[in-house]
Amino acid sequence: MEIRQWLRAAIARLPGSDSAKRDAQILLGFVTGKSRSWLMAFDDQLLSPEQLTQLEALLLRRAGGEPVAYLTGEREFWSLSLLVSPETLIPRPDTELLVEQALQHLPTTPATVLDLGTGTGAVALAIASERPDCRVTGVDRIPGAVRLAERNGQRLGMTNATFCLSDWFSALEASHFNLIVSNPPYIDRDDVHLQQGDVRFEPASALIADDNGLADIVLIAAQAARYLLPGGWLLLEHGWQQAKRVRRILLENHFVQVDTLQDYGGNDRVTRAQTPLQRN
């Protein structure tokens, strides 16, 4: 079968995907080892029986809803190629806003950064790639996530990023940072979106939080100031309907300069807050 014939047939078998053509192209590239441009230029080339067998198995899994990133084991974030696994969330474009804001709020001099709930290490490694003079620490309470983040750091040669096992701040006593970032669990366990799309296959521990999705944000807000240097910043990703409540939580914990920024879709996505320059 020619590449173009397989591509047409594959797209027709993925009616439930919002990006059927792109999904099929990614699977083709993964199996053949060819770039998207090569596949487009030489779409009359024949696929081998072995390739067709691999593609059929992957296509069946994708048709069942399994995320493409879990099928290939990789996802690009901030132009970095990252390994992913079912133990971690799949990095999403909207989370790049967290990286952008982190870079804007870091001092121009060498600084320290903490990424809480690092998962694949996406946010930590993106910051480390842009600021090699900074020391970035990523923590997660899932051992498999820490191992995966370490592998990603090693593959990318990010010697200024380190990862460790920690339930939020539990392993960080006496540590202080210029900046703390986090994309914590913030979805309510009764949210209907948990039964839709890729999130059906992602780890509930990285998605769901008690108290209408705010429990972990409350915990982080209550403890973060102890680990931030005076004038340091806390940046939190959250659900698009949670911004007002997140701002209130941060103000109740004596943060200043509290405001919310929108993602590329125009939705409230990241709230930032600063510790006072002088401790009370």
Side-chain angles (χ1 to χ4, degrees):
M1 180 182 289
E2 294 179 353
I3 287 172
R4 60 190 170 201
Q5 293 174 320
W6 184 88
L7 189 59
R8 283 197 298 270
I11 292 169
R13 291 174 61 185
L14 296 174
S17 172
D18 293 333
S19 55
K21 182 177 180 180
R22 184 65 180 137
D23 292 351
Q25 289 174 330
I26 292 172
L27 295 180
L28 264 174
F30 177 66
V31 169
T32 64
K34 303 294 186 182
S35 68
R36 185 181 181 188
S37 59
W38 189 97
L39 292 168
M40 292 172 65
F42 300 99
D43 64 356
D44 59 344
Q45 295 294 302
L46 292 174
L47 294 164
S48 71
E50 293 80 9
Q51 289 172 332
L52 288 169
T53 297
Q54 284 182 269
L55 286 166
E56 178 62 19
L58 291 170
L59 193 60
L60 284 171
R61 291 170 65 187
R62 180 56 186 150
E66 195 167 345
V68 171
Y70 288 162
L71 299 180
T72 63
E74 292 185 0
R75 170 60 68 90
E76 184 176 290
F77 180 85
W78 200 263
S79 299
L80 304 175
S81 178
L82 300 171
L83 300 175
V84 300
S85 83
E87 290 188 275
T88 63
L89 285 184
I90 299 167
R92 289 167 168 76
D94 284 338
T95 300
E96 292 190 357
L97 176 62
L98 199 59
V99 178
E100 291 175 5
Q101 287 301 310
L103 296 173
Q104 288 183 27
H105 288 81
L106 280 172
T108 57
T109 53
T112 53
V113 181
L114 172 64
D115 177 24
L116 292 168
T118 197
T120 61
V123 171
L125 292 168
I127 296 169
S129 72
E130 297 288 348
R131 289 293 303 269
D133 61 320
C134 292
R135 290 187 294 110
V136 185
T137 301
V139 301
D140 205 290
R141 69 181 183 85
I142 305 299
V146 175
R147 289 193 295 270
L148 185 64
E150 288 176 333
R151 286 181 62 198
N152 279 322
Q154 291 165 2
R155 289 174 76 237
L156 295 168
M158 300 293 178
T159 56
N160 59 322
T162 58
F163 301 94
C164 68
L165 192 66
S166 183
D167 188 357
W168 300 126
F169 299 98
S170 65
L172 299 172
E173 287 303 321
S175 298
H176 292 91
F177 304 89
N178 296 94
L179 177 75
I180 296 176
V181 297
S182 184
N183 178 15
Y186 55 74
I187 300 177
D188 182 79
R189 63 181 63 256
D190 295 324
D191 193 311
V192 296
H193 295 95
L194 291 170
Q195 307 305 319
Q196 302 171 8
D198 288 357
V199 296
R200 292 173 295 164
F201 294 84
E202 294 181 281
S205 62
L207 293 165
I208 298 170
D210 292 331
D211 190 18
N212 297 311
L214 293 169
D216 290 305
I217 289 175
V218 169
L219 185 152
I220 292 169
Q223 298 185 22
R226 299 209 309 267
Y227 299 89
L228 280 167
L229 293 166
W233 287 89
L234 172 64
L235 305 176
L236 295 172
E237 181 170 335
H238 50 73
W240 66 277
Q241 294 178 310
Q242 296 174 323
K244 184 176 181 179
R245 285 173 289 174
V246 172
R247 290 195 298 270
R248 185 173 67 246
I249 291 164
L250 291 165
L251 289 168
E252 289 171 351
N253 283 277
H254 312 295
F255 282 91
V256 297
Q257 305 291 337
V258 178
D259 69 339
T260 299
L261 302 120
Q262 296 183 327
D263 62 23
Y264 310 128
N267 298 308
D268 288 342
R269 184 61 61 195
V270 170
T271 294
R272 59 188 175 186
Q274 189 179 32
T275 53
L277 291 173
Q278 299 294 330
R279 302 282 192 191
N280 292 331

